[in-house]
């Protein structure tokens, strides 16, 4: 289904290998240049944040499209960086020169940011000049006479369309069971066809079962789901189930993106969010962010590891995004196709055997010199702890030499690394602390201690009332991981594998990274 679209994208990607100049100050694959702030004539008028933006491998077809999520940070003299509230009115923003590719500008209703994406079908690079975002100064208490520094940040995203999809894959082989979802007791996939409440467990025909929460003997009972064939729970209507359209980060959070985040928060917040003190010398496993501010990293596009859930939650709040649920994970990985038993994000084909060898190691152009013609993925069989690599690859590492979706390990919706590289932190449906999640977005601001904070995170996993008042994400209760990583074997790579869904990422680990989402406004 739609295999032609994958071939077209791969040909486009191959055509731009070797292009240079991308990366905003060495932090991102999106190039943002010529940033200026045009102040209005009166305080009642909005300012204009003006810049040029470019990125490679943009696409749109009858199924979905890629986009960038843009947001603005500003700083007044002697003050901390703050999140700018841009106008929620689409007509308030414009692009001066589209260079032949029509654009859609879709600001969020809460003013936390704006999605930019191509308006028409096509596959090409994006190069838009004189993008102008409207910033109502009065909303942020800024006078037009105040000298202000600004930073424009862009995260690459992929749209996941609204519609029904299946969870679970029909696995019946006892050795492969890892609490995969099923319809009742049928051992068949379960269809998510709305955002309505779902009965979990109990064995009913229309319930969402979990193979009686069967997992490997290595997983202690304390990490099992709290529903089974005999016991029921309810997944509330407010929990994001993936039926509604959302955007997901195109690739895993990179070390460059995390370094830029560290540079745009206060010193006290950096002390909380800097992973370096937890990374032992000789055990970095490709973690490359410098130890102190200003934070630097080469290469900027390597997947971030050594993160805890509290780190990822802080980045989500700071960027106006939110955690991904485990149901949304399955949709982003599989699409709306009927599942096959034991399938991976790219399909049913088995991962390769043999360790990868890197070319241009420690550069943004890093390649796999012995990349195979079939499926490619970073897991224990190709990397692992005992190899010359021993850590995550750069995001999209397989794309330049791939001849198909299979070759770069992409999901149905062209999301990369949904299987392997670093483990994806997602909200579990298997515990009450996960099921209370309501999918609210971050507001761009952290607590003084550097934690995700505010009324919007009250129902996020790990949120607790803080001593200073309000809510902060202080632990990882309700968060697990899906998709496997560079240290685990084949089983964890399977889209429906839930072996680690109730094991909280409550400390910094060499295999843990992040990927975040944002709901499409109604």
């Amino acid at each position: 289904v739609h295999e032609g679209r994958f071939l077209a994208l791969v040909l486009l990607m191959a055509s731009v290998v070797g292009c240079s100049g991308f990366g905003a100050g060495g932090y991102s694959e999106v190039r943002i240049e010529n940033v200026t702030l045009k102040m209005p004539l009166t305080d009642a008028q909005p300012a204009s944040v003006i810049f040029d933006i470019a990125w490679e491998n943009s696409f749109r077809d009858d199924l979905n499209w890629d986009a960038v999520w843009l947001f603005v940070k500003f700083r007044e003299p002697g003050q901390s960086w703050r999140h700018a509230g841009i106008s929620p009115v689409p007509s308030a923003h414009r692009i001066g020169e589209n260079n032949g590719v029509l654009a859609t500008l879709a600001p969020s209703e809460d003013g936390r940011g704006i999605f930019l994406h191509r308006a028409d079908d096509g596959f090409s690079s994006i190069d838009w000049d004189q993008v102008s975002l409207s910033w109502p100064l009065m909303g942020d208490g800024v006078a037009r006479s105040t000298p202000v520094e600004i930073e424009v940040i862009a995260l690459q995203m992929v749209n996941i369309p609204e519609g029904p999809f299946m969870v679970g894959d029909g696995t019946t082989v006892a050795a492969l069971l890892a609490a995969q979802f099923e319809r009742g007791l049928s051992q068949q996939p379960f269809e998510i066809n709305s955002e309505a409440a779902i009965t979990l467990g109990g064995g009913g025909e229309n319930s969402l079962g979990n193979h009686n929460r069967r997992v490997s003997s290595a997983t202690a009972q304390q990490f099992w789901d709290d529903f089974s064939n005999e016991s029921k729970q309810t997944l509330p209507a407010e929990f994001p189930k993936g039926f509604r359209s959302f955007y997901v980060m195109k690739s895993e959070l990179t070390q460059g993106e995390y370094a830029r985040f560290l540079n745009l928060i206060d010193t006290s917040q950096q002390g909380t969010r800097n992973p370096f003190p937890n990374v032992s010398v000789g055990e970095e496993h490709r973690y490359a962010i410098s130890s102190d501010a200003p934070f630097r990293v080469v290469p900027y596009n390597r997947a971030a590891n050594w993160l805890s859930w509290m780190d990822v939650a802080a980045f989500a709040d700071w960027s106006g995004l939110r955690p991904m649920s485990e149901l949304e994970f399955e949709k982003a990985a599989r699409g709306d196709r009927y599942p096959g038993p034991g399938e991976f994000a790219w399909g049913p084909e088995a991962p390769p055997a043999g360790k990868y060898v890197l070319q241009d190691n420690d550069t943004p152009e890093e390649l796999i010199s012995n990349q195979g013609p079939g499926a490619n993925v970073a897991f224990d069989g190709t990397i692992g702890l005992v190899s010359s690599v021993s850590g995550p690859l750069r995001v999209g590492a397989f794309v330049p030499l791939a001849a198909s979706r299979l070759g770069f390990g992409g999901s149905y919706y062209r999301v990369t690394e949904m299987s392997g590289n670093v483990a994806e932190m997602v909200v579990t449906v298997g515990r009450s602390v996960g099921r209370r999640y309501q999918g609210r977005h971050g507001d761009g601001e952290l607590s003084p201690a550097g934690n995700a904070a505010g009324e919007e995170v009250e129902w996020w996993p790990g949120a607790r009332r803080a001593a200073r008042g309000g809510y902060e994400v202080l632990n990882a209760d309700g968060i697990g991981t899906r998709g496997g990583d560079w240290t685990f074997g084949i089983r964890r790579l399977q889209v429906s594998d839930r072996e680690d869904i109730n094991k909280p990422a409550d400390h910094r680990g060499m295999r843990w990274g992040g990927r975040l989402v944002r709901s499409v406004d109604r």
Side-chain angles (χ1 to χ4, degrees), residues 343-365:
E343 69 182 357
F344 309 97
W346 59 82
E349 294 83 358
K355 300 297 186 182
Y356 286 140
V357 177
L358 294 185
Q359 174 184 321
D360 299 323
N361 191 11
D362 292 332
T363 73
E365 293 77 31

Side-chain angles (χ1 to χ4, degrees), residues 132-445:
S132 180
L133 304 184
S134 177
W135 175 26
L137 297 173
M138 292 183 66
D140 287 321
V142 178
R144 66 187 179 90
S145 59
T146 304
V148 176
E149 290 181 76
I150 56 172
E151 290 279 344
V152 180
I153 298 101
L155 300 174
Q156 290 186 284
M157 311 288 284
V158 171
N159 174 262
I160 308 299
E162 180 170 313
F165 67 103
M166 312 296 283
V167 294
D169 60 14
T171 296
T172 58
V173 178
L176 297 180
L177 290 180
Q180 288 94 336
F181 292 126
E182 62 177 332
R183 186 184 73 253
L185 307 179
S186 70
Q187 297 186 321
Q188 297 301 308
F190 178 93
E191 184 179 58
I192 304 288
N193 54 24
S194 76
E195 291 287 343
I198 296 173
T199 298
L200 304 174
E205 181 180 357
N206 296 317
S207 67
L208 179 58
N210 58 2
H211 287 270
N212 208 27
R213 60 189 182 188
R214 180 169 178 171
V215 291
S216 72
S217 59
T219 297
Q221 187 170 350
Q222 70 185 90
F223 299 123
W224 294 1
D225 289 334
D226 64 4
F227 64 95
S228 66
N229 290 355
E230 291 76 36
S231 60
K232 294 192 296 185
Q233 302 289 348
T234 298
L235 186 64
E238 294 80 7
F239 185 93
K241 299 171 186 67
F243 177 85
R244 179 181 167 187
S245 181
F246 62 97
Y247 283 92
V248 62
M249 290 174 66
K250 187 175 186 178
S251 62
E252 293 158 334
L253 178 65
T254 68
Q255 295 189 30
E257 289 162 345
Y258 196 80
R260 194 175 193 193
F261 158 68
L262 291 174
N263 283 326
L264 295 177
I265 58 179
D266 288 348
T267 302
S268 60
Q269 296 170 326
Q270 290 171 350
T272 306
R273 297 279 70 92
N274 181 8
F276 188 84
N278 298 101
V279 181
S280 301
V281 176
E283 297 293 332
E284 295 88 351
H285 296 290
R286 312 199 83 207
Y287 180 86
I289 300 176
S290 59
S291 60
D292 300 298
F295 295 91
R296 297 285 185 265
V297 61
V298 177
Y300 62 84
N301 53 0
R302 183 177 294 163
N305 59 342
W306 287 105
L307 299 181
S308 69
W309 162 239
M310 289 70 77
D311 295 325
V312 175
F315 188 94
D317 193 15
W318 176 84
S319 60
L321 300 178
R322 65 168 177 84
M324 175 167 53
S325 78
E326 63 166 317
L327 302 181
E328 291 174 317
F329 172 87
E330 288 210 28
K331 185 173 186 180
R334 177 182 293 121
D336 58 4
R337 300 177 303 105
Y338 194 86
E343 69 182 357
F344 309 97
W346 59 82
E349 294 83 358
K355 300 297 186 182
Y356 286 140
V357 177
L358 294 185
Q359 174 184 321
D360 299 323
N361 191 11
D362 292 332
T363 73
E365 293 77 31
E366 174 182 282
L367 295 173
I368 310 300
S369 62
N370 60 339
Q371 180 172 323
N376 283 286
V377 61
F379 79 118
D380 179 62
T382 54
I383 297 181
L385 291 168
V386 184
S387 77
S388 61
V389 182
S390 191
L393 300 176
R394 72 174 176 100
V395 298
F398 305 113
V399 168
L401 301 181
S404 66
R405 168 195 171 200
L406 173 66
F408 71 87
S411 83
Y412 182 69
Y413 293 120
R414 300 192 185 102
V415 185
T416 64
E417 296 101 30
M418 294 297 286
S419 290
N421 213 30
V422 293
E424 309 273 350
M425 297 185 197
V426 295
V427 186
T428 179
V429 306
R431 297 296 174 89
S432 61
V433 287
R435 291 191 294 270
R436 68 179 192 166
Y437 176 51
Q438 298 180 1
R440 293 183 64 183
H441 301 117
D443 67 355
E445 305 292 347

Side-chain angles (χ1 to χ4, degrees), residues 459-476:
W459 304 114
W460 283 20
R464 296 290 182 270
R465 279 201 174 275
R468 63 178 61 86
Y471 295 91
E472 296 186 30
V473 174
L474 301 175
N475 61 49

Side-chain angles (χ1 to χ4, degrees), residues 1-10 12-13 57-67 101-102 104 117-124 126 157-162 245 247 250 336 405 408 411-415:
V1 180
H2 288 284
E3 281 305 315
R5 61 196 288 271
F6 297 115
L7 178 59
L9 179 65
V10 168
L12 165 67
M13 290 172 165
N57 305 325
S58 173
F59 68 89
R60 185 183 180 115
D61 60 17
D62 59 350
L63 186 64
N64 72 320
W65 58 86
D66 79 317
V101 180
L102 295 179
T104 294
H117 59 83
R118 62 192 310 135
D120 297 328
D121 288 358
F123 299 85
S124 69
I126 294 296
M157 311 288 284
V158 171
N159 174 262
I160 308 299
E162 180 170 313
S245 181
Y247 283 92
K250 187 175 186 178
D336 58 4
R405 168 195 171 200
F408 71 87
S411 83
Y412 182 69
Y413 293 120
R414 300 192 185 102
V415 185

